Amino acid sequence: MLESYAAGSWFRADDEGRPVRDATTGEEVARISSTGLDLGAMVQHARTVGGPALRSLTFHERAGLLKAMAKDLTAHKDELYELSYATGATRRDSAVDIDGGIGTVFSIASKGTRAMPNDTVYLDGDTERLGRTGSFVGQHLYTSRPGVAVQINAFNFPVWGMLEKLAPAFLAGAPTIVKPAAPTAYLAEAVVRRIIDSGLLPEGTLQLLCGSPHGLLDELTVQDHVSFTGSAHTAGLLRTHPSVLGGGVELTVEADSLNCSILGPDVTSDAPELDLFVKGVVTEMTVKAGQKCTAIRRVIVPRHAMDTVAEAITARLARTTVGNPRSEDVRMGALVSLDQREEVRKAIQSLRASSEIVFGDPDRSDVIDADAERGAFLSPVLLRAADGAAEPHDVEAFGPVSTLIAYDDVAHAVALAARGRGSLAGSLVTHDADVAREVVLGLAPWHGRILVLDRDDAPESTGHGSPLPVLVHGGPGRAGGGEELGGIRGVLHHMQRTAIQASPDMLTAITGRWTTGSARREDGMHPFRKSLADLRIGDTIASEPRAVTLADIDHFAEFTGDRFYAHTDPEAAARNPLFGGIVAHGYLVVSLAAGLFVDPAPGPVLANFGVDNLRFLTPVKADDSIAVTLTVKQITPRTSADYGEVRWDAVVTNDAGESVATYDVLTLVSKE
């Protein structure tokens, strides 16, 4: 019997449960039941134990735990691979699920360290000046919600589907309750058991519900979030649940998706793009036996190329061996269950109302090292739709099934793609930039992600159906309207954005980042002589002025080779309406400013590693004087090093007090 991990301990139901079977052999792998499980206690445990523990950690500390968890799972992934065979997955399929899931955690952890502060507050955008004098300002910020993240997952990716949701929620400070789909719950349970046994995550931040989730949504309330991946029918039931309709529970849905791939009209029979297109379609039909929410269901092809494409796909499908995924000779394993095979067969029958089968037989399969009746095997099936067919745009066969559809021109191709009423992923194979622009702009409102594939990006392309941690995963309309991943976007999705209005001093205290207009602190010690432990937000150095001479400008022009006329030709510079005469190079101004604030002796400052947001505001003419004010804006200790990052606010002014340049200086500073 599969166990749930609830309120700090493993729970086993005392009834017989229902069997979960090996997709290849039909043998029982486990039984599953949640009878007797206290769902209210699970939610309460997450809310009162896991949530506070997680929110007490900074983004960097949470990211460090995610990275450690991913390393631990990597060390034990061989046992996960072995168990994954029972789902019908080949070794390649398991890599997409297991390695893909672990890799996603690594990626999100890296984003947490590199793109988020070592704090519990994330700032969104720049400070907004709300008054004339600058004493009233605004700032958007994100904070963790005191709620629970519930994920209800599909059967096709028991590892990736769980980890790609867990990592952003964890980084956002939200404890998670995972409800895996029954047919592959044993693999999800193995992953969660490994994570719990590692002791890496704070108690209550991850719980597992194996079995029916009936009643779980009744326990949720405002501040809680449900992420659902599955059928549009079930999504509809969730959307009408009272906790979602009026209880303030946020729901994110990834549902059915009739994804398409379009072959550009420019692609000829001898172009490399044709082979790329055919390979992409066959890959999406056969990886995971087509059980992917991003798989290509509609193959949209120029009418003149239909026969050529059909023959090429058929030839490649004919080389696809089906059978026991443990066999090295097998390229495609079984569907997840006999019930799922029956669902796909019904969908194929519906498609045949307006399409003819070009390849495959949905009623029989030649299999290797397996029993075709005991295992949930299905031959890849390629169909060809009649003109005007409705079914390919309405019916999703969630298996190794795709339908060829002919188009007459680019506008027609875009219209056909839009008939899917919203998709997770679309792809276009073309080497024509004009075609690419027209198709992408036409498809974008209907798709969450679009791949444009040609001979140039093919060597590094991850393919049509691969969601990437740094890009959003979701789609409009029929696809559910949800959005996951996307780097930090997936983290912020779980957090609350709030607009704060306050004085600069108050905003600095609230956000932990120095705000223009708030107090500066000069204690007589150069800030570059202070370690990270001694530096404080607002520490400042104001330099003495320095004249910028014509000789300085001439020397910089000769030394760098930047002889732009505004710096070297008095007559031409005088005619420039912005300058009215010779002016200093902007980068000369910044270089001289560095000389005004840098303390040259060895000390805690290890390196300058960047300049952000540089803007030149007022021209500096020959014999103008400049001065710089440098203020500690943000301090970010690195958890994995003996130094941290310091962001300095730099303002360069002229002798009239006007701002000449503004920018942020980034340095690495020793902790001690």
Side-chain angles (χ1 to χ4, degrees), residues 20-319:
V20 180
R21 300 189 182 279
D22 187 306
T24 301
T25 66
E27 296 176 355
E28 185 175 305
V29 177
R31 286 184 170 265
I32 188 168
S33 173
S34 60
T35 301
L37 183 61
D38 190 338
L39 301 180
M42 290 183 76
V43 173
Q44 192 66 12
H45 188 67
R47 206 186 306 280
T48 60
V49 177
L54 193 51
R55 292 190 295 274
S56 70
L57 304 175
T58 67
F59 296 117
H60 286 199
E61 289 169 332
R62 297 170 201 166
L65 292 177
L66 287 174
K67 183 177 180 179
M69 181 189 81
K71 285 183 175 180
D72 185 74
L73 289 174
T74 299
H76 294 85
K77 69 178 182 180
D78 284 347
E79 57 199 68
L80 301 178
Y81 265 88
E82 188 61 33
L83 192 56
S84 182
Y85 284 128
T87 71
T90 64
R91 184 82 179 179
R92 180 181 65 163
D93 296 337
S94 295
V96 175
D97 186 26
I98 297 169
D99 290 272
I102 295 172
T104 296
V105 177
F106 274 123
S107 178
I108 297 299
S110 177
K111 281 289 185 181
T113 301
R114 296 180 180 277
M116 304 187 81
N118 196 3
D119 200 346
T120 58
V121 176
Y122 182 85
L123 304 187
D124 177 34
D126 297 326
T127 303
E128 299 287 347
R129 186 165 172 164
L130 304 177
R132 183 174 59 83
T133 66
S135 63
F136 185 48
V137 291
Q139 173 71 60
H140 291 91
L141 57 79
Y142 282 93
T143 55
S144 297
R145 295 170 176 162
V148 181
V150 173
Q151 51 171 277
I152 303 174
N153 293 332
F155 64 78
N156 52 339
F157 287 100
V159 181
W160 177 85
M162 172 173 61
L163 295 181
E164 67 94 3
K165 292 181 175 70
L166 171 63
F170 187 91
L171 192 53
T176 295
I177 297 174
V178 177
K179 192 278 170 191
T184 55
Y186 49 86
L187 185 52
E189 192 230 44
V191 175
V192 172
R193 191 175 291 275
R194 179 59 240 161
I195 295 172
I196 297 302
D197 288 349
S198 74
L200 291 168
L201 304 191
E203 174 53 46
T205 58
L206 174 61
Q207 297 180 85
L208 175 70
L209 194 173
C210 283
S212 171
H214 181 70
L216 178 59
L217 264 66
D218 297 331
E219 304 294 337
L220 304 181
T221 184
V222 64
Q223 299 288 351
D224 296 330
H225 179 272
V226 176
S227 296
F228 170 77
T229 300
S231 71
H233 173 72
T234 304
L237 297 178
L238 293 175
R239 286 191 173 103
T240 59
H241 191 281
S243 294
V244 175
L245 280 177
V249 174
E250 187 177 273
L251 175 65
T252 297
V253 170
E254 179 201 307
D256 302 343
S257 182
L258 288 166
N259 312 292
C260 71
S261 186
I262 299 174
L263 181 67
D266 58 294
V267 179
T268 58
S269 60
D270 59 349
E273 281 72 26
L274 179 61
D275 190 49
L276 292 173
F277 182 78
V278 170
K279 285 181 178 178
V281 171
V282 173
T283 295
E284 293 303 314
M285 289 180 69
T286 57
V287 169
K288 278 290 204 173
Q291 298 169 117
K292 294 172 61 182
C293 54
T294 54
I296 297 169
R297 308 299 178 195
R298 297 176 297 155
V299 185
I300 303 176
V301 178
R303 188 175 302 280
H304 66 79
M306 278 291 280
D307 290 341
T308 300
V309 172
E311 291 171 5
I313 294 176
T314 295
R316 189 171 285 272
L317 287 174
R319 300 196 297 270

Side-chain angles (χ1 to χ4, degrees), residues 427-491:
S427 58
L428 166 68
V429 181
T430 181
H431 197 52
D432 186 315
D434 292 334
V435 169
R437 177 176 172 83
E438 184 177 353
V439 172
V440 167
L441 296 186
L443 262 57
W446 300 97
H447 289 77
R449 177 172 55 84
I450 300 171
L451 165 68
V452 180
L453 184 66
D454 67 1
R455 67 196 71 175
D456 295 332
D457 64 351
E460 293 188 343
S461 172
T462 52
H464 166 102
S466 299
L468 298 173
V470 295
L471 300 180
V472 294
H473 176 59
R478 176 177 179 144
E483 190 173 287
E484 298 173 356
L485 296 176
I488 298 304
R489 296 175 184 84
V491 179

Side-chain angles (χ1 to χ4, degrees), residues 623-635:
D623 297 324
D624 281 356
S625 292
I626 62 169
V628 61
T629 301
L630 192 73
T631 304
V632 176
K633 189 173 187 177
Q634 191 171 26
I635 301 172

Side-chain angles (χ1 to χ4, degrees), residues 280-406:
V281 171
V282 173
T283 295
E284 293 303 314
M285 289 180 69
T286 57
V287 169
K288 278 290 204 173
Q291 298 169 117
K292 294 172 61 182
C293 54
T294 54
I296 297 169
R297 308 299 178 195
R298 297 176 297 155
V299 185
I300 303 176
V301 178
R303 188 175 302 280
H304 66 79
M306 278 291 280
D307 290 341
T308 300
V309 172
E311 291 171 5
I313 294 176
T314 295
R316 189 171 285 272
L317 287 174
R319 300 196 297 270
T320 301
T321 50
V322 180
N324 189 333
R326 298 170 177 84
S327 173
E328 293 183 0
D329 297 328
V330 167
R331 296 295 305 276
M332 190 180 90
L335 274 69
V336 73
S337 68
L338 294 174
D339 288 343
Q340 180 61 22
R341 182 175 68 179
E342 188 58 31
E343 288 296 317
V344 175
R345 284 175 170 170
K346 289 178 181 178
I348 293 172
Q349 191 61 33
S350 296
L351 291 169
R352 293 181 70 177
S354 59
S355 303
E356 62 176 0
I357 292 180
V358 177
F359 177 87
D361 184 344
D363 296 320
R364 65 178 296 275
S365 296
D366 295 324
V367 300
I368 295 174
D369 192 25
D371 185 325
E373 294 307 313
R374 289 180 59 84
F377 298 105
L378 182 69
S379 163
V381 175
L382 179 68
L383 300 103
R384 182 169 178 166
D387 288 348
E391 286 79 5
H393 308 292
D394 297 328
V395 178
E396 181 182 22
F398 201 72
V401 183
S402 291
T403 302
L404 289 161
I405 305 170

Side-chain angles (χ1 to χ4, degrees), residues 409-434:
D409 53 31
V410 171
H412 186 206
V414 170
L416 288 170
R419 290 185 64 182
R421 304 192 309 280
S423 301
L424 295 170
S427 58
L428 166 68
V429 181
T430 181
H431 197 52
D432 186 315
D434 292 334

